[in-house]
Amino acid sequence: MAATDFKDYYSILGITKTATPEEIKQAFRKLARKYHPDVNPGNKQAEAKFKEVNEAYEVLSDPDKRKKYDQYGQYWRQVGEGGFPGGSGVDMSGFDFGQYGSFNDFINDLFGGAGPRTNKQSYSYRTSTGKPGTGFGGFNDFGFQDMGGAAAQDSEYTISLTFAEGFAGVQKRFSLGNETIDVRIPAGAKTGTRLRVRGKGQVNHSTQQRGDLYLKVELQPHSFFQFEGDHLLCEVPITPDEAALGASIDVPTPDGSVNVKLPAGVRSGQSLRLRGKGWPLAKGGRGDQFVKVAIAPPKDLTPQEREYYEKLRSIRTYNPRSHLAQVKL
């Protein structure tokens, strides 16, 4: 990766390097809603921006990846894949990586042109096209690491899936040198899912035995859905009158919108369970989807709305803070 290809993930999300995890999440949600393909149908620039925002959030929301990114800049992936000799035992904090045109330039300079000496090798393969790369895999690349082994050598790929691909399952094509294989990712794959493809790993040249291929799934962040264990969680805004009187609202689920009955007096932050509307489970069936409601008061009132709100305030008998009078140290 040339220095000019460096992506400033903090600038992409519009935050500073001191941003808290919550600030990172808020910035991502705002931009994801703005550039989501459903909001910008057919807009290729918005689609590219959405992927870029997802990529930035994927790194900065992960403490370990963020630490490597902050320390090694555009070469954080190579360090993470074993491409840096010495691993985490080498303190490179404050080092200017931007002066090098590529990671190899940095290594050659570090070792006086001798290149790194390490038993591990890192490559990357792109879907479909698949010649072995240089280890500088992009957003849609599959990072490969030789796992080693006495009898055979296993290979591991990190595969990035959208929520739609993880939910419904998808077939992916891999090019491994001169071999092309098709792998079916089952429905319900999510971050942390590890799939084994027997006999498709690296060949141990001394024994001629072939290891297995392991696919490690990472789901791209979604602008609406989040995981809570095996269940899905989403947040839906409601109006003050819907909270007070109850209402019927439409809520998105992975396979379409459903109508949900809000009970009268529902509180902001309360969650409603949609049974069997969540993520496919490995043991069969579906998990649940939890709908967290957030009361969203209107910012701009019409004169008539303001009149009625003022009238409501003048006749209201309910005081949600009455119990606070008893609070003492």
Side-chain angles (χ1 to χ4, degrees), residues 165-186:
E165 290 174 331
F167 176 78
V170 65
Q171 183 163 296
K172 291 288 187 179
R173 174 163 293 181
F174 297 85
S175 292
L176 308 175
N178 296 324
E179 181 183 15
T180 300
I181 63 172
D182 292 310
V183 177
R184 179 68 186 176
I185 311 298

Side-chain angles (χ1 to χ4, degrees), residues 43-284:
N43 188 331
K44 295 298 183 182
Q45 291 182 336
E47 181 180 351
K49 186 67 176 178
F50 180 72
K51 291 182 178 180
E52 194 174 53
V53 167
N54 272 328
E55 180 181 353
Y57 180 72
E58 178 189 0
V59 174
L60 298 185
S61 63
D62 184 304
D64 185 57
K65 291 180 180 178
R66 182 181 181 184
K67 182 179 179 181
K68 289 187 176 74
Y69 175 79
D70 287 344
Q71 186 172 5
Y72 299 105
Q74 65 262 46
Y75 305 121
W76 74 272
R77 291 183 187 274
Q78 288 66 51
V79 175
E81 293 171 359
F84 182 77
S88 58
V90 181
D91 182 11
M92 303 303 294
S93 57
F95 190 83
D96 180 17
F97 286 92
Q99 62 182 296
Y100 297 99
S102 72
F103 188 67
N104 287 336
D105 291 344
F106 161 63
I107 294 297
N108 287 334
D109 186 35
L110 182 65
F111 287 89
R117 300 179 185 274
T118 176
N119 292 327
K120 290 186 177 181
Q121 294 179 327
S122 295
Y123 306 90
S124 65
Y125 293 89
R126 296 182 182 273
T127 53
S128 301
T129 55
K131 289 186 178 180
T134 60
F136 302 94
F139 186 71
N140 291 320
D141 287 356
F142 299 90
F144 160 80
Q145 184 173 352
D146 184 357
M147 304 295 289
Q153 292 179 306
D154 295 334
S155 304
E156 182 173 286
Y157 288 80
T158 297
I159 176 173
S160 179
L161 301 179
T162 65
F163 258 61
E165 290 174 331
F167 176 78
V170 65
Q171 183 163 296
K172 291 288 187 179
R173 174 163 293 181
F174 297 85
S175 292
L176 308 175
N178 296 324
E179 181 183 15
T180 300
I181 63 172
D182 292 310
V183 177
R184 179 68 186 176
I185 311 298
K190 62 179 181 177
T191 297
T193 298
R194 200 163 181 256
L195 306 173
R196 180 182 186 182
V197 184
R198 294 182 181 274
K200 294 299 181 181
Q202 298 296 298
V203 176
N204 186 307
H205 295 296
S206 61
T207 64
Q208 295 303 307
Q209 293 186 21
R210 190 169 184 179
D212 297 329
L213 170 66
Y214 289 90
L215 299 178
K216 182 181 178 182
V217 174
E218 284 190 3
L219 284 188
Q220 300 167 20
H222 195 275
S223 61
F224 183 72
F225 295 111
Q226 297 181 50
F227 275 100
E228 190 174 76
D230 288 332
H231 305 296
L232 283 183
L233 177 67
C234 66
E235 184 175 282
V236 175
I238 62 173
T239 62
D241 57 282
E242 289 174 329
L245 303 175
S248 294
I249 62 173
D250 290 330
V251 175
T253 73
D255 46 8
S257 181
V258 299
N259 191 262
V260 176
K261 300 287 186 181
L262 291 178
V266 65
R267 292 176 175 270
S268 189
Q270 185 174 339
S271 292
L272 306 175
R273 182 196 294 259
L274 303 183
R275 296 187 181 277
K277 288 296 183 181
W279 204 251
L281 302 176
K283 59 185 178 182

